[in-house]
Amino acid sequence: MPVEWVVSTFDAQTLAVMLLLGIDIGTSSIKVSVVDAQTQDRIVSVSYPETETEIISKQPGWAEQNPDTWWEHTQQAILK
């Protein structure tokens, strides 16, 4: 059975769009935005998780968070 190839011409620059991914790691949630580099238009913004991230306080005046949680929440925000 013969194979037919369809060849189309296009301007590669027309299809090229540079997108920027911004990540804000805050104490309550991770915020992620995708922005068109040329127009500076925001394509999408999301945050994760929907509830505030736990803050560990082993002593008065101390505040800690688990960096593994930041990484997991960053991945989940990007997947949204």
Side-chain angles (χ1 to χ4, degrees):
M1 182 173 227
V3 175
E4 294 183 29
W5 294 91
V6 176
V7 177
S8 61
T9 59
F10 61 90
D11 180 2
Q13 290 183 346
T14 303
L15 298 178
V17 175
M18 182 181 290
L19 301 176
L20 305 174
L21 175 66
I23 301 171
D24 175 12
I25 301 175
T27 55
S28 60
S29 67
I30 306 294
K31 294 159 212 73
V32 174
S33 294
V34 176
V35 176
D36 182 311
Q38 183 176 4
T39 65
Q40 299 181 1
D41 289 336
R42 184 179 65 223
I43 310 286
V44 66
S45 288
V46 299
S47 63
Y48 189 89
E50 303 300 325
T51 59
E52 198 168 303
T53 303
E54 176 188 13
I55 296 176
I56 304 162
S57 183
K58 295 182 180 181
Q59 291 186 9
W62 288 19
E64 299 178 5
Q65 288 184 310
N66 185 340
D68 292 333
T69 302
W70 296 337
W71 178 238
E72 178 62 32
H73 290 178
T74 300
Q75 293 174 80
Q76 293 301 318
I78 291 170
L79 291 173
K80 277 178 96 174

